[in-house]
Amino acid sequence: EAAAQLKAEVTRRTNGLTASIGIGTSKFIAKLATELDKPDGCRIVAAGTEIDLIAPMSVRAIPGVGPATGERLHRLGVRTIADLQAMSLAELTREVGKAAGAGLHELAFARDNRPVVAEREAKSISVEDTFEHDERDAARLAELVDRDAAEVASRMRAGRLFARTVTLTVRRPDFATWTRSRTLDGATDRAEVIAR
């Protein structure tokens, strides 16, 4: 009921934008729940069902498993969170280091005690799109990049901010993620520079 009210309030305050909501026993599970029911969804993950829910997911669904760690785990035969659950903490620590290993081991079993912080200083400005169907048309993708770059530039100008690094991230339905960044020679708030 609270989620439905929140979604309705977002739609009202933004003149029609939708929101997806994920509810779970931790920050990690709530984030995954949100991803599982986009766009305009609401997913509640009941306590006690988390491990079964995440087990078949790609190991890349875990925060902190980027391209390098994902590739290292892939070489070990770890493709899903269930594969990660099957590794001992000692084995995982040996492969990815003590801190990363301990964190991955905890998240593989849906244990996450990170606090949810409502207010924090923005370190980046971003725009995210979720599509009902895969977008493959190059011209359409270019239009989306131009539109999103214009939105980011507008937010930057409103905040009187400039950026030097531009990052594009693409996430597939199986959570496989590609990220590419470029650091510019000088800071900008121009949409055409960001889009390029």
Side-chain angles (χ1 to χ4, degrees):
E1 188 177 313
Q5 289 173 356
L6 180 59
K7 285 171 58 61
E9 184 70 7
V10 167
T11 300
R12 185 185 67 75
R13 287 192 188 194
T14 61
N15 294 317
L17 293 179
T18 60
S20 292
I21 293 179
I23 299 173
T25 54
S26 68
K27 189 173 178 175
F28 170 50
I29 295 300
K31 171 96 168 88
L32 282 181
T34 302
E35 296 289 335
L36 291 172
D37 206 8
K38 283 185 173 183
D40 194 24
C42 179
R43 179 78 176 257
I44 300 171
V45 178
T49 66
E50 304 94 341
I51 293 175
D52 290 338
L53 173 75
I54 66 174
M57 292 181 177
S58 166
V59 72
R60 295 290 301 274
I62 295 179
V65 179
T69 302
E71 180 58 32
R72 185 176 298 145
L73 292 171
H74 188 77
R75 285 194 305 265
L76 296 169
V78 176
R79 289 171 176 76
T80 66
I81 295 176
D83 295 334
L84 192 61
Q85 292 166 347
M87 291 182 78
S88 71
L89 177 56
E91 183 182 14
L92 188 55
T93 299
R94 183 180 67 241
E95 295 300 331
V96 298
K98 188 174 182 179
L104 288 177
H105 192 260
E106 289 294 296
L107 291 176
F109 289 95
R111 295 186 294 255
D112 180 15
N113 61 5
R114 295 174 300 157
V116 175
V117 180
E119 297 291 331
R120 64 180 184 191
E121 183 181 341
K123 294 182 180 177
S124 65
I125 296 175
S126 65
V127 174
E128 181 177 307
D129 294 304
T130 302
F131 306 106
E132 214 168 317
H133 305 286
D134 291 348
E135 287 287 351
R136 292 191 168 97
D137 180 66
R140 175 69 179 136
L141 290 169
E143 288 173 10
L144 293 167
V145 167
D146 288 343
R147 182 193 71 195
D148 288 353
E151 175 65 26
V152 167
S154 174
R155 290 182 190 176
M156 290 171 57
R157 286 189 300 274
R160 297 182 179 165
L161 301 170
F162 294 88
R164 286 195 60 218
T165 301
V166 178
T167 303
L168 178 67
T169 300
V170 176
R171 177 170 290 147
R172 296 172 49 88
D174 66 357
F175 286 96
T177 305
W178 289 276
T179 301
R180 298 293 181 268
S181 293
R182 175 167 296 160
T183 299
L184 308 172
D185 291 333
T188 189
D189 65 354
R190 293 176 40 215
E192 62 274 14
V193 174
I194 296 167
R196 187 171 61 244

